[in-house]
């Protein structure tokens, strides 16, 4: 597995991680609406006519039997026998014998029709089967295309920056980033030097893969193996004094001790000028002890008698101010940290002088990992600062080649990191800084000239907010307000009316008549009187009602200026995930990626970056 992974990671093209791009979704099947439809073949015209005639004969069968019986009955009469028998025979043939003959023809035609229909239906079934196979084949092809489509693309730095800053993350995430990016850098035949201050062996995975590829791997553990590298021998007296003074000053991380730093440089320079022979931390610490008056010469001491005499003479010229004595004691105690480790421990292990017979770590080929670890925190931090200042010196002299990675650079300070950046750019060396926390003065590093920034998981909300501000904000339209109004109007009304009519009437009349007869004249008269009264009452009621409903829904879109990446997103990033912010020829680009080296083993990984 390591061999296969190494083969996938150690490629000549630079690769810092992988970018995921969703493949084109599965397309709709174009064959779904092409399902064959069965259509019954048309009946022959002759068969249609015969069937129709048969149906008509069946419908009239009873009537025809009745007519036939009637004709046969009438044919029994002698006068009608000779007329009706031929007629009955002709109708009998047409009504009963001919349909039987037609039925044979119908059976023959139906048999031929079934053969034609069966053949057509067999073709239809074949078409349906072919259609099902086409649908299934297309779906399977789309599924395979989607599953095997390239979805991971390597991430390269298009701006070719001289410095790469990695903020946030965990040791596991850094180890993955180093394995992915370091493999491609080493695969391009570049030398890589890793200064590991994390005490988590973040370069262990890269070292294992590098060894599998047959590339030299050099591992140095400081301060235990301080004797293996020549940190001081290649530096001049002035360079060595400045180097150690800066390292001691770096422990304090304050500009208030500028005078103390100048004093440290003078004291170290005076000691180094009065030492002859190879320099080591043991001999320098002994020289400072002479200035303190605390050196006890012996036959096996690290200093020669002539060196002790010169240093003692110089000690008499030193002032006895409290500040000088205090700083001399602090400087001596600090240098003594590495003197013990580099002297006593080394002498017990191989009996050789420190700094003799070993090359500088900057000149080693392949992968070089210089890791610092010690139970004494002061010794560990001082070793880190000495190594950082030695890197500044080596870069100023253009000694390293290829790529230099500083992991866990938080405690080195902004001034030291800027010095490393300055000389690395001048020496044409790619510098990679892995910084755990984005806080304090280190925020000023972010977005520096000719640099690219990787933002990994930042759990602290203030650091995540700072990173989100750096990524930037953008305008977008969002739904900010929804209004809904519902109304109902109800109108009711009514009317009532009523009336009473009363009518009364009265009439009188009289009548008189006279008649003359044999008996004389008769007069009669009469009269009448009538009254009438009528009542009528009317009542009317009218009611009306109306209802009206209304509803109004409104949506308001507003233009907001929001984070392109929310701080909570940066706080919840997976271990190997990152967000790259880089300004290239085409402008600023922001990419979300993953540096998990195992992605290289997938089948859907492209060899070329996503075309931007």
């Amino acid at each position: 597995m390591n061999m296969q992974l190494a083969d996938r990671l150690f490629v000549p093209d630079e690769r810092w991680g992988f970018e995921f791009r969703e493949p084109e979704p599965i397309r709709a099947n174009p064959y779904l609406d092409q399902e064959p439809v069965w259509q019954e073949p048309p009946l022959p015209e002759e068969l249609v006519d015969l069937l129709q005639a048969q149906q008509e004969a069946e419908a009239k069968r009873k009537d025809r039997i009745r007519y036939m019986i009637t004709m046969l009955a009438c044919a029994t009469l002698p006068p009608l026998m000779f007329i009706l028998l031929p007629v009955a025979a002709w109708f009998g043939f047409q009504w009963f014998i001919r349909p039987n003959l037609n039925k044979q023809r119908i059976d023959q035609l139906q048999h031929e029709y079934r053969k034609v229909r069966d053949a057509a239906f067999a073709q239809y079934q074949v078409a349906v089967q072919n259609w099902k196979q086409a649908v299934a084949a297309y779906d399977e092809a789309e599924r395979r295309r989607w599953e095997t489509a390239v979805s991971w693309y390597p991430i390269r730095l298009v701006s070719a920056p001289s410095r790469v800053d990695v903020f946030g993350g965990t040791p596991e995430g850094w180890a993955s980033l180093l394995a992915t990016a370091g493999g491609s850098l080493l695969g391009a035949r570049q030398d890589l030097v890793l200064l590991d201050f994390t005490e988590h062996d973040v370069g262990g995975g890269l070292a294992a893969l590098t060894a599998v590829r047959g590339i030299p791997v050099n591992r140095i553990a400081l301060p235990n193996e301080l004797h293996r590298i020549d940190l001081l021998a290649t530096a001049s007296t002035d360079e060595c004094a400045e180097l150690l003074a800066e390292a001691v000053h770096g422990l304090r991380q304050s500009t208030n001790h500028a005078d103390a730093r100048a004093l440290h440089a003078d004291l170290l320079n005076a000691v180094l000028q009065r030492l002859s022979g190879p320099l080591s931390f043991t001999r320098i610490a002994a020289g400072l002890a002479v200035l303190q008056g605390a050196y006890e010469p012996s036959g096996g001491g690290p200093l020669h008698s002539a060196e002790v005499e010169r240093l003692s003479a110089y000690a008499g010229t030193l002032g006895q101010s409290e500040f000088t004595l205090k700083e001399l004691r602090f400087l001596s105690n600090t240098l003594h940290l590495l003197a013990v480790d580099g002297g006593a421990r080394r002498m017990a292990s191989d009996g050789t002088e420190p700094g003799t017979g070993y090359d500088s770590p900057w000149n080693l080929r392949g992968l070089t990992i210089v890791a610092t670890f010690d139970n004494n925190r002061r010794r560990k931090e001082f070793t880190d600062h000495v190594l950082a200042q030695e890197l500044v010196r080596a870069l100023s002299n253009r000694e390293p080649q290829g790529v230099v990675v500083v992991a866990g650079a938080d405690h080195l300070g902004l001034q030291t990191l800027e010095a490393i950046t300055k000389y690395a750019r001048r020496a044409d060396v790619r510098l990679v800084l892995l910084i755990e926390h984005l806080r304090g003065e280190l925020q000023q590093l972010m977005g520096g000239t000719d640099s690219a920034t990787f933002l990994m998981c930042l759990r602290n909300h203030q650091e995540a907010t700072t990173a989100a501000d750096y990524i930037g904000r953008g305008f977008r339209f969002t739904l900010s307000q929804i209004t809904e109004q519902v109304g109902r109007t109800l109108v009711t009304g009514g009317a009532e009316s009523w009336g009473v009519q009363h009518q009364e009437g009265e009439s009188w009349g009289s009548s008189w008549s006279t008649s003359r007869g044999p008996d004389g004249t008769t007069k009669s008269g009469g009269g009448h009187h009538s009254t009438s009264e009528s009542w009528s009452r009317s009542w009317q009621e009218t009611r009306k009602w109306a209802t009206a409903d209304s509803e109004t829904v409104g949506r308001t879109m507003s233009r907001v200026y929001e984070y392109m990446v929310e701080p909570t997103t940066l706080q919840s990033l997976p271990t190997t995930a990152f967000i790259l912010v880089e300004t290239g020829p085409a402008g600023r680009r922001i990419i979300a990626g993953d540096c998990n080296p195992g992605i290289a083993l997938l089948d859907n990984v492209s060899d070329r970056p996503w075309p931007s």
Side-chain angles (χ1 to χ4, degrees):
M1 179 64 71
N2 285 343
M3 176 61 74
Q4 184 181 5
L5 181 59
D7 292 340
R8 295 288 185 93
L9 290 177
F10 283 71
V11 293
D13 297 324
E14 179 181 304
R15 183 165 59 189
W16 290 85
F18 302 91
E19 176 185 8
F20 180 78
R21 293 284 180 170
E22 185 71 28
E24 182 183 355
I26 294 178
R27 296 182 289 263
N29 196 319
Y31 299 106
L32 287 177
D33 56 352
Q34 300 179 12
E35 181 180 2
V37 179
W38 168 250
Q39 294 181 351
E40 290 286 344
L43 294 173
E45 293 182 2
E46 182 182 0
L47 179 60
V48 173
D49 294 339
L50 291 175
L51 290 174
Q52 185 176 2
Q54 187 182 35
Q55 290 177 356
E56 292 177 354
E58 290 293 334
K60 299 177 180 179
R61 184 177 182 84
K62 293 182 180 180
D63 293 337
R64 289 177 177 180
I65 292 174
R66 190 181 306 112
Y67 295 153
M68 184 60 65
I69 293 172
T70 303
M71 283 190 292
L72 291 176
C74 294
T76 57
L77 299 176
L80 301 176
M81 181 181 302
F82 296 102
I83 298 174
L84 294 179
L85 283 178
V87 174
W90 185 84
F91 279 107
F93 175 79
Q94 293 293 333
W95 289 353
F96 301 104
I97 298 176
R98 188 177 183 87
N100 291 332
L101 297 176
N102 290 341
K103 186 176 184 306
Q104 295 178 359
R105 180 59 179 167
I106 290 173
D107 293 341
Q108 180 183 359
L109 292 176
Q110 286 181 338
H111 178 70
E112 295 176 355
Y113 173 76
R114 280 193 296 269
K115 292 173 59 177
V116 173
R117 182 188 180 281
D118 292 343
F121 189 75
Q123 293 180 355
Y124 164 74
Q125 289 180 323
V126 172
V128 170
Q129 187 64 26
N130 293 336
W131 170 76
K132 291 180 178 179
Q133 292 178 356
V135 170
Y138 183 87
D139 291 341
E140 179 66 16
E142 279 295 293
R143 184 185 64 81
R144 290 181 177 273
R145 179 193 63 79
W146 190 84
E147 290 179 353
T148 60
V150 174
S151 54
W152 291 98
Y153 295 85
I155 296 178
R156 297 173 186 169
L157 301 179
V158 297
S159 62
S162 62
R163 192 186 80 208
V164 177
D165 300 328
V166 181
F167 292 98
T170 62
E172 293 78 10
W174 288 358
S176 298
L177 180 64
L178 290 175
T180 302
S184 63
L185 296 174
L186 292 170
R189 300 183 181 278
Q190 298 187 56
D191 297 325
L192 192 150
V193 178
L194 169 62
L195 305 185
D196 185 5
F197 300 143
T198 64
E199 299 182 294
H200 286 282
D201 192 22
V202 295
L206 176 61
L209 296 173
T210 304
V212 170
R213 294 287 296 180
I215 300 175
V217 178
N218 310 287
R219 305 196 66 160
I220 302 171
L222 299 181
N224 287 343
E225 297 179 343
L226 190 62
H227 59 282
R228 288 188 52 194
I229 58 177
D230 201 354
L231 290 179
L232 303 179
T234 58
S236 65
T237 300
D238 292 339
E239 289 178 336
C240 186
E242 291 294 328
L243 185 156
L244 295 177
E246 286 290 348
V248 173
H249 180 65
L251 291 177
R252 289 175 166 172
Q253 293 291 322
S254 174
T255 58
N256 297 331
H257 299 278
D259 294 339
R261 183 212 168 279
L263 177 60
H264 294 165
D266 291 341
L267 293 174
L268 289 168
N269 192 33
V271 171
L272 294 176
Q273 288 180 353
R274 287 162 177 78
L275 295 179
S276 57
L279 297 177
S280 67
F281 289 99
T282 303
R283 287 167 52 78
I284 297 174
L288 292 173
V290 173
L291 298 184
Q292 285 183 286
Y295 181 72
E296 297 181 358
S298 61
L303 300 180
H304 302 296
S305 57
E307 295 173 331
V308 174
E309 291 178 1
R310 291 193 294 270
L311 290 170
S312 299
Y314 175 75
T317 63
L318 286 177
Q320 298 298 315
S321 66
E322 181 180 357
F323 175 75
T324 301
L325 296 178
K326 175 183 176 182
E327 293 302 324
L328 177 59
R329 183 168 56 254
F330 174 74
L331 180 62
S332 177
N333 291 339
T334 303
L335 267 296
H336 185 71
L337 292 172
L338 293 185
V340 172
D341 193 86
R345 295 187 184 181
R346 184 268 313 156
M347 292 295 291
S349 60
D350 56 16
T352 60
E353 277 293 324
T356 59
Y358 293 91
D359 294 329
S360 170
W362 321 119
N363 299 325
L364 299 177
R365 301 295 91 187
L367 173 63
T368 302
I369 300 178
V370 183
T372 60
F373 177 81
D374 198 278
N375 292 328
N376 187 316
R377 300 312 303 166
R378 290 183 62 229
R379 182 182 294 117
K380 163 68 170 62
E381 292 183 8
F382 184 52
T383 304
D384 294 346
H385 285 283
V386 170
L387 190 57
Q389 295 302 325
E390 168 60 18
L391 175 60
V392 173
R393 185 205 63 79
L395 289 172
S396 65
N397 294 331
R398 302 177 183 272
E399 295 179 17
Q401 302 290 328
V403 181
V404 174
V405 181
V406 182
D410 302 59
H411 62 296
L412 298 181
L414 178 62
Q415 183 177 0
T416 300
L417 295 178
E418 288 181 339
I420 295 175
T421 300
K422 171 184 175 182
Y423 290 110
R425 183 182 296 114
R426 193 170 70 177
D428 195 22
V429 172
R430 172 74 66 84
L431 177 64
V432 181
L433 301 178
L434 304 182
I435 301 173
E436 181 179 2
H437 297 288
L438 182 56
R439 60 178 63 156
E441 62 181 6
L442 295 181
Q443 298 180 22
Q444 303 176 32
L445 281 175
M446 191 164 50
T449 304
D450 194 21
S451 67
T453 303
F454 287 83
L455 298 172
M456 302 186 77
C457 180
L458 293 163
R459 301 295 186 190
N460 183 274
H461 71 282
Q462 292 182 349
E463 297 177 14
T465 302
T466 301
D469 288 333
Y470 172 69
I471 294 174
R473 300 171 183 259
F475 287 104
R476 65 175 181 174
F477 289 93
T478 60
L479 180 65
S480 62
Q481 184 178 3
I482 298 179
T483 59
E484 181 174 3
Q485 294 180 348
V486 179
R488 168 171 289 186
T489 302
L490 180 62
V491 178
T492 60
E496 292 184 3
S497 61
W498 60 276
V500 177
Q501 290 183 352
H502 182 209
Q503 293 181 350
E504 292 182 357
E506 185 175 2
S507 62
W508 294 266
S510 62
S511 61
W512 299 94
S513 63
T514 303
S515 62
R516 294 177 184 274
D519 295 330
T521 302
T522 303
K523 292 184 179 181
S524 64
H528 67 276
H529 175 261
S530 64
T531 60
S532 64
E533 184 178 5
S534 65
W535 291 83
S536 65
R537 177 179 293 177
S538 64
W539 175 82
Q540 182 179 4
E541 181 179 8
T542 304
R543 295 186 182 275
K544 63 178 180 179
W545 60 90
T547 303
D549 294 331
S550 63
E551 182 177 1
T552 303
V553 179
R555 290 178 173 83
T556 303
M557 303 290 290
S558 62
R559 189 171 183 239
V560 296
Y561 191 56
E562 294 181 340
Y563 284 118
M564 299 179 67
V565 178
E566 291 292 334
T568 53
T569 302
L570 293 169
Q571 290 179 276
S572 58
L573 284 177
T575 302
T576 58
F578 62 79
I579 296 176
L580 168 63
V581 182
E582 179 189 22
T583 302
R588 199 167 187 256
R589 68 170 186 163
I590 301 172
I591 298 177
D594 198 304
C595 61
N596 189 339
I599 296 176
L601 295 174
L602 301 177
D603 295 330
N604 53 349
V605 179
S606 174
D607 295 332
R608 299 182 178 180
W610 175 264
S612 57

